[in-house]
Amino acid sequence: MSSPAAARFDRGHTDDLMTFLAASPSQYHAVANAAERLEKAGFRQLAETDAWDASTGGKFVLRGGAIIAWYVPEGAAAHTPFRIIGAHTDSPNLRVKPLPDTGAQGWRQIAVEIYGGTLLNTWLDRDLGLAGRLTLLDGTERLVNIDRALMRVPQLAVHLDRSVNTDGLKLDKQRHMQPIWGLGDVHEGDLIAFLEDEEGLDRGSVAGWDLMVHSIEPPAYLGRDRELLAGPRMDNLLSVHAAVAALVAASTAGTLDHIPVLAAFDHEENGSQSDTGADGPLLGNVLERSVFSRGGSYEDRARAFAGAICLSSDTGHAVHPNYAERHDPSHHPRANGGPILKVNVNQRYATDGSGRAVFVSACERAGVPWQTFVSNNSMPCGTTIGPITAARHGIQTVDIGVAILSMHSARELCGADDPYLLANVMLAFLEN
């Protein structure tokens, strides 16, 4: 099946995803890397505090760990509808507390808080780095990435927990998850002073921080035929990376009768309720200002939103070979089987029949296979930004993604073909 979007992306896209994952140990790095790619493609950053004009072309807004980007084609009317790809930039991990310096028994440790529904055991006995952003006294921000073996969360030896392999590992989030990073006495301010030295900053210049732990093990192909990809933060930087690539490609597609949009939010893993989350005002404000900057009225705004469609892209569950009974017996998404359509009649996902048609049409135009995910009735279903986007903005939304194993692990697993298959579907959606 051929179309302008067919086979635009190939395994080279997955190679590039590995680069993107390694360079994005925090959501702040992810949006900075996305912005750099957009700028190279001719997009320009807008400040929310500035007046916006009616110019055409690619634009984007950054706020914290979120980015909204869009492309206004020549001749776009104020009521031109939006085609949106939604994703999120945050991943479950360990976040540094406001008073980070702690320790016991001669060990120096870092006090961390659990962010999102992370699989705690996957952080044990890994070489860990530290990344995020520093806010200086003058209000400027500095991204920081200590991408070397700095910390470790050591597991208790089996000799001291003889039942661990029979009764299971039991971890207390407060007592058992504090990483060690050295020996000696604990001194308040040591960690931030260390980061100031690493960044060449004056001591005492850092006033605030948003820091998190990451595994320093790089992404890698896996399997006899390298048909799998293992790496960190694929939930959900895999979708962010694909959406950036699709938006850049769509901006060169020629005539468009809609405005393609990327909306990558922060804080999905803890409910999306923030100024940079999907349940906040950021997307709605940007879309409205785009309408009004082109001379539109409230009526134009209503028409643009009513004609809008959103693909909410987040990872989903591939069938697990060791736990197949946990899945719905007739819905078994497989690695390299193509993107998944996520369905839940209780609105944990926003997909309905008409949304299914939108997704299937994009897959057919791209020449890409697709699968369906639905939860086992005996188990609760997860959710994502799709229902939030639909409810908050009144925009038709379809939940899709890539099927992975080990979701919310420090290191996840997917088919090596699925990232570029997803990108091709996104491009077909944005182009048509």
Side-chain angles (χ1 to χ4, degrees):
M1 191 173 299
S2 62
S3 75
R8 191 79 66 89
F9 301 108
D10 55 20
R11 184 60 79 89
H13 174 90
T14 305
D15 295 337
D16 188 62
L17 169 62
M18 297 168 71
T19 300
F20 186 80
L21 292 172
S24 304
S26 77
Q27 65 269 45
Y28 311 111
H29 290 83
V31 298
N33 290 324
E36 181 180 6
R37 289 162 181 253
L38 291 168
E39 286 181 330
K40 287 181 178 178
F43 285 65
R44 61 188 177 93
Q45 182 176 355
L46 301 183
E48 293 184 81
T49 53
D50 290 345
W52 294 0
D53 58 35
S55 61
T56 58
K59 310 173 185 185
F60 65 91
V61 165
L62 294 178
R63 184 192 289 187
I67 182 169
I68 311 293
W70 66 104
Y71 181 82
V72 181
E74 292 287 343
H79 62 268
T80 300
F82 300 99
R83 285 233 162 178
I84 305 163
I85 297 175
H88 68 88
T89 61
D90 59 318
S91 299
N93 56 17
L94 311 179
R95 304 284 177 99
V96 175
K97 287 185 173 181
L99 298 176
D101 298 292
T102 187
Q105 308 301 323
W107 296 96
R108 298 171 67 193
Q109 295 175 277
I110 303 300
V112 296
E113 188 173 4
I114 310 304
Y115 179 83
T118 188
L119 285 169
L120 297 178
N121 64 294
T122 67
W123 292 93
L124 301 178
D125 297 329
R126 287 184 183 272
D127 295 336
L128 303 173
L130 188 68
R133 67 178 179 182
L134 304 174
T135 303
L136 308 186
L137 286 169
D138 61 6
T140 59
E141 295 178 353
R142 176 80 67 93
L143 294 184
V144 60
N145 181 14
I146 310 300
D147 198 30
R148 66 175 188 270
L150 181 68
M151 295 176 289
R152 186 179 180 91
V153 184
Q155 186 171 344
L156 186 63
V158 68
H159 313 80
L160 304 178
D161 186 6
R162 296 288 184 176
S163 64
V164 66
N165 290 325
T166 55
D167 297 341
L169 177 65
K170 297 177 177 62
L171 294 171
D172 183 281
K173 294 180 180 179
Q174 180 62 40
R175 293 186 295 123
H176 299 152
M177 297 306 298
Q178 311 307 313
I180 61 171
W181 76 307
L183 298 171
D185 297 331
V186 176
H187 300 286
E188 184 176 346
D190 270 0
L191 177 65
I192 300 306
F194 163 76
L195 293 175
E196 289 169 337
D197 291 345
E198 286 285 312
E199 293 298 305
L201 299 169
D202 293 335
R203 288 287 182 96
S205 61
V206 172
W209 53 87
D210 301 279
L211 299 168
M212 58 208 70
V213 169
H214 68 276
S215 171
I216 64 170
E217 186 179 4
Y221 287 115
L222 184 146
R224 186 193 67 177
D225 299 318
R226 293 164 54 90
E227 70 267 47
L228 299 171
L229 174 65
R233 299 175 294 280
M234 287 196 280
D235 179 11
N236 186 34
L237 295 187
L238 186 157
S239 295
V240 174
H241 173 261
V244 170
L247 178 60
V248 168
S251 70
T252 65
T255 303
L256 295 172
D257 60 1
H258 55 272
I259 295 173
V261 180
L262 159 66
F265 302 101
D266 198 356
H267 300 127
E268 188 275 343
E269 297 294 356
N270 61 9
S272 295
Q273 292 186 321
S274 72
D275 68 320
T276 53
D279 204 19
L282 182 58
L283 175 61
N285 287 349
V286 169
L287 298 184
E288 287 180 348
R289 292 185 69 179
S290 176
V291 171
F292 297 150
S293 68
R294 285 175 278 124
S297 62
Y298 181 81
E299 183 72 11
D300 293 314
R301 180 263 185 214
R303 293 174 67 187
F305 277 54
I309 306 173
C310 175
L311 286 188
S312 163
S313 182
D314 200 351
T315 54
H317 301 294
V319 61
H320 197 301
N322 300 335
Y323 301 91
E325 74 281 357
R326 303 293 182 97
H327 299 262
D328 182 85
S330 58
H331 295 79
H332 281 178
R334 300 179 183 275
N336 288 333
I340 55 173
L341 179 71
K342 301 160 79 171
V343 179
N344 181 266
V345 295
N346 293 302
Q347 290 300 293
R348 302 292 285 174
Y349 302 128
T351 305
D352 61 11
S354 61
R356 174 190 172 106
V358 170
F359 173 70
V360 171
S361 177
C363 290
E364 290 185 348
R365 290 195 304 275
V368 167
W370 59 278
Q371 310 175 82
T372 304
F373 172 83
V374 65
S375 288
N376 185 307
N377 287 339
S378 299
M379 304 189 69
C381 180
T383 190
T384 182
I385 64 170
I388 295 171
T389 303
R392 182 168 184 85
H393 305 294
I395 290 174
Q396 181 184 14
T397 303
V398 188
D399 277 301
I400 67 166
V402 161
I404 70 172
L405 292 182
S406 306
M407 186 185 294
H408 288 194
S409 169
R411 194 168 179 84
E412 297 160 325
L413 183 71
C414 75
D417 295 338
D418 283 329
Y420 72 81
L421 295 177
L422 176 68
N424 279 319
V425 172
M426 288 179 170
L427 178 54
F429 168 75
L430 291 180
E431 281 189 336
N432 191 304

